[in-house]
Structures are given as C-alpha cells and as structure tokens.
Amino acid sequence: MFRQSVQSLVTTWLTGLLALLPLVLTLALLAWLLSLLNTLVGPSTVIGQLLGALGQPFASNPALAYLVGTLVLLGSLYPLGLAVQLGLRRPLGWLLDMTLRRAPLIGSLYSLADRFVGLLDRSKNADIAAMSPVWCVFGGDGAAVLALQPNPDTVEIDGRPYCAILVPTAPIPVGGGLIYVPVEWLRPADMGVEGLTSIYLSMGLTPPQQASRQAKEPVVSEDDQIS
C-alpha cells in the first residue's frame, strides 16, 4: 500500500515536471542566446566598440552611444533590403560566391549559415512551395519514395511519357536528386510540402497520415486572431 502511494506521488510529480519542462527549456535557451549575443556583440566586444563609435556623434554616454549605434545599424538594413528587392540579390550572391565561398574554412561556414538562413527566407523557398508531393512507386508495385513533382509536364523517352521528380536528400533547405520516372509510377500524396518536410526532418518518425492531417489543418492568420 505504501509502495503504491509513493509510486503515485512520484508519477504525479513527474507529470508536473514534464508539463513545466518545455517552458524551462525555452527560458534556458533564450538566456543562452542572450548570453551568446552579449559575448559576440556586447559593449565590451570589438563589434560593440564599433557600434559605440557609430553612435558616439549622437550620444556622449557609452551605453547610450552603443544603443544608438545598434539602432543606426538596424535602420541601415532597410535600404539594403530595398536594394536586394530591386535586383541587388544576384550581383551580391555572385560577389559572395567569388569571395567567401572560395575561402577554405570560411566558405564552409558561410555555406552552412546560408543553408540555415534559406529555411527562414520564404522568397527562396517559393519554388519549393509550388511543387506537389507525390509517391513514386518504382516498377508500379515496388518500393515507394516520397518525392516532389516540380510540374506535371511530361517528357517522351522511347515513346513513353516520363515526368520529373525531386527526391529530397536534405530537407533544410530542400534539395536532392532529379529523376525522370514513368508517369504511371506516380501517385498523388495527400499532404503539402510542409508535411513532406516534417516526415524527412523526423527521419520517418512522423507517419505520412499524421503529416497529411497537419497539412489539412486550417492556417489562422494574425488578422483572424485579432478579429
């Protein structure tokens, strides 16, 4: 009887711990990020001193000068974004490819950072979002692969219609091998690109049925939430 009571108390305590753990981990991660930012660009760092020097003409207090310099730097991002929207993206990408990407160590780090930022930049993923997830059943009744179909256009090879599919090998951002397969091998996949990405990110732990249900859930916009 005593053992069952202790087990019940421990089970209840663990339930409360698991309920609070996501919040604790989120706060811990936020604190770590703030500490990391302070270490990298804080007032005592080289970048922080440059920001302070940038704000020095507008404020004499070192802390206030650092804040003003940070605001000036953030404000300068708007004209840069405007220039990129007006057509600077291609020459800027070419310049980075010719300089940073060719450096032995810096090039690898920049490529990794660029892949991560590509996940956040929806404009880069617009073409991927327009693709259709499909099942490719090899041989018509063999192994099935979850892939993306760029477009329904067919290519005739030896008198047989083929269609292009992209089999993902890296979900962030989506990349993979382009394969032309017979049209009769393809089956529509009842999910969106987000569902396909979640399956590849979970390495198969997320079943296709769950990804399909998630893709069907209505997306509530901020305007709808406010209203």
Side-chain angles (χ1 to χ4, degrees):
M1 186 66 179
F2 176 76
R3 183 179 179 181
Q4 292 180 351
S5 299
V6 173
Q7 185 177 2
S8 177
L9 289 174
V10 172
T11 302
T12 304
W13 183 84
L14 288 176
T15 302
L17 176 63
L18 292 177
L20 189 62
L21 192 58
L23 176 61
V24 174
L25 292 177
T26 301
L27 294 177
L29 179 60
L30 182 61
W32 177 79
L33 288 175
L34 292 176
S35 176
L36 179 63
L37 287 176
N38 183 66
T39 303
L40 295 177
V41 296
S44 60
T45 63
V46 176
I47 298 179
Q49 293 175 2
L50 292 176
L51 292 176
L54 184 63
Q56 193 67 36
F58 307 97
S60 57
N61 185 279
L64 186 58
Y66 171 78
L67 178 61
V68 173
T70 303
L71 294 177
V72 171
L73 178 62
L74 294 177
S76 65
L77 295 179
Y78 179 81
L80 176 61
L82 185 62
V84 170
Q85 290 180 346
L86 294 177
L88 186 63
R89 182 187 296 272
R90 188 179 298 274
L92 181 61
W94 176 84
L95 178 62
L96 292 175
D97 288 338
M98 296 296 294
T99 54
L100 289 181
R101 288 189 188 274
R102 296 193 175 187
L105 179 60
I106 299 178
S108 300
L109 294 176
Y110 178 79
S111 297
L112 180 61
D114 187 53
R115 288 174 63 87
F116 176 76
V117 174
L119 177 65
L120 306 177
D121 191 353
R122 293 188 175 183
S123 62
K124 292 184 178 180
N125 298 329
D127 294 337
I128 298 295
M131 297 185 182
S132 302
V134 294
W135 289 104
C136 177
V137 183
F138 289 93
D141 58 354
V145 175
L146 189 58
L148 288 169
Q149 184 179 20
N151 58 72
D153 297 337
T154 60
V155 176
E156 187 172 331
I157 303 177
D158 292 335
R160 189 179 183 184
Y162 283 71
C163 194
I165 62 170
L166 180 68
V167 179
T169 56
I172 304 179
V174 174
L178 185 64
I179 306 175
Y180 284 85
V181 298
V183 175
E184 59 269 20
W185 288 10
L186 301 181
R187 312 282 189 274
D190 190 16
M191 66 184 72
V193 176
E194 294 81 4
L196 179 142
T197 304
S198 66
I199 293 176
Y200 275 93
L201 279 175
S202 67
M203 295 183 293
L205 293 178
T206 300
Q209 293 81 1
Q210 181 178 348
S212 177
R213 288 195 300 268
Q214 293 175 353
K216 288 183 177 180
E217 291 180 356
V219 178
V220 180
S221 63
E222 295 181 358
D223 297 335
D224 295 336
Q225 293 177 352
I226 296 175
S227 60

